[in-house]
Amino acid sequence: MGLKRLKRKTTAETSGVQLTTITAPMSVVTEQIKTIRTNLNYAMVGKPLKTLMVTSAIQGEGKSTVAGNLAIEYAKKGLQVLLVDADLRRPTVHQTFGVPNQRGLSSWLSGQLEDVNDAIHPALAHLFVMPSGPKPPNPAELLASDKMTEFLTVATRKLDLVIVDAPPVLPVTDARILAGQVDGTMLVVRQNGVEKTAVRQAVGALKKAHTQLLGAVLNDVDVKTHGYGYGYYGTEAN
């Protein structure tokens, strides 16, 4: 898939990401998000997509932007969607949707909450968000815990789709840990923003984690040369 070139936000951690699906619902970018949603549905023919992880090779490729906008588009179709900020190191969901981050995924995984619903907030019609919570000293250990697996299992019984905004693959192990716990993974790649070698390394790491790689999203595409802003490319990132 491919998305229109947007001005890169360098303050995602303090102001969140651009939700073009809300601010410009008739834009080319929003249409491409819809195309990504459609292609993901085709990629999972014969098996329902209940948990989707969105990640990237390195930081700054737009994974959180894609995850947030994709969650909105699925919710617009009437699905009950939960967007989980599993990037416990560099979270953005709470800023993007304007929810408090005092309690979140890390609070639940570390046993600081008795009721997981205290960490989940309604965002839009049919869309709920779970912020990361306070930054823990041991993110990888929390994400690898049985409690994380249990959370995803229970969430999918009550919701139609859980989208996990995960950290990038190469800098830390978190995404590789989560990869084996979801139905499918989508890799976001920023055009001219990451070396092909790094993308191949990320794909290899995800495959070793036994995830189903559903495809790659090419982000920040120059509309002058490609005509669109996002593009979805098959089930392999070559």
Side-chain angles (χ1 to χ4, degrees):
M1 307 170 201
L3 288 180
K4 179 181 179 182
R5 181 179 292 275
L6 299 173
K7 182 178 180 182
R8 185 181 301 190
K9 292 182 74 70
T10 58
T11 58
E13 287 186 273
T14 57
S15 61
V17 301
Q18 297 181 50
L19 296 177
T20 311
T21 48
I22 294 178
T23 60
M26 303 302 293
S27 67
V28 172
V29 172
T30 298
E31 286 302 315
Q32 289 303 300
I33 291 290
K34 292 178 181 179
T35 300
I36 294 171
R37 182 194 65 204
T38 299
N39 287 339
L40 285 172
N41 292 339
Y42 279 124
M44 293 296 292
V45 170
K47 179 182 178 183
L49 179 65
K50 299 287 288 184
T51 50
L52 170 68
M53 183 175 77
V54 182
T55 185
S56 57
I58 60 175
Q59 180 190 344
E61 295 190 72
K63 64 173 182 64
S64 295
T65 300
V66 173
N69 281 284
L70 192 60
I72 291 169
E73 280 305 313
Y74 270 108
K76 284 182 179 180
K77 296 296 288 185
L79 273 67
Q80 298 294 317
V81 181
L82 173 64
L83 175 62
V84 179
D85 196 342
D87 195 339
L88 303 183
R89 304 167 193 267
R90 303 180 69 93
T92 60
V93 167
H94 65 291
Q95 293 288 351
T96 300
F97 290 91
V99 299
N101 198 34
Q102 288 79 13
R103 294 180 292 186
L105 179 61
S106 65
S107 310
W108 170 249
L109 295 179
S110 61
Q112 297 176 21
L113 286 179
E114 292 186 6
D115 187 350
V116 70
N117 293 301
D118 290 338
I120 297 174
H121 306 271
L124 300 168
H126 307 295
L127 176 61
F128 302 86
V129 297
M130 185 180 203
S132 67
K135 295 183 181 180
N138 56 340
E141 287 81 359
L142 290 181
L143 295 174
S145 66
D146 292 339
K147 201 161 187 177
M148 183 66 190
T149 304
E150 176 189 356
F151 166 70
L152 291 175
T153 301
V154 173
T156 54
R157 291 174 185 163
K158 298 182 178 181
L159 299 158
D160 297 310
L161 177 63
V162 177
I163 297 180
V164 180
D165 180 358
V169 176
L170 298 182
V172 293
T173 62
D174 303 17
R176 282 168 274 177
I177 290 171
L178 290 167
Q181 303 183 46
V182 296
D183 295 330
T185 296
M186 188 168 64
L187 187 69
V188 178
V189 180
R190 186 180 293 277
Q191 185 183 43
N192 301 321
V194 60
E195 297 292 335
K196 288 183 179 180
T197 301
V199 177
R200 292 191 184 100
Q201 290 175 346
V203 170
L206 290 170
K207 287 182 176 180
K208 288 181 180 178
H210 305 294
T211 193
Q212 182 172 356
L213 188 58
L214 299 177
V217 173
L218 185 61
N219 184 20
D220 210 8
V221 177
D222 190 343
V223 294
K224 294 180 180 179
T225 57
H226 294 273
Y228 294 94
Y230 285 117
Y232 181 85
Y233 296 98
T235 55
E236 299 289 338
N238 295 317

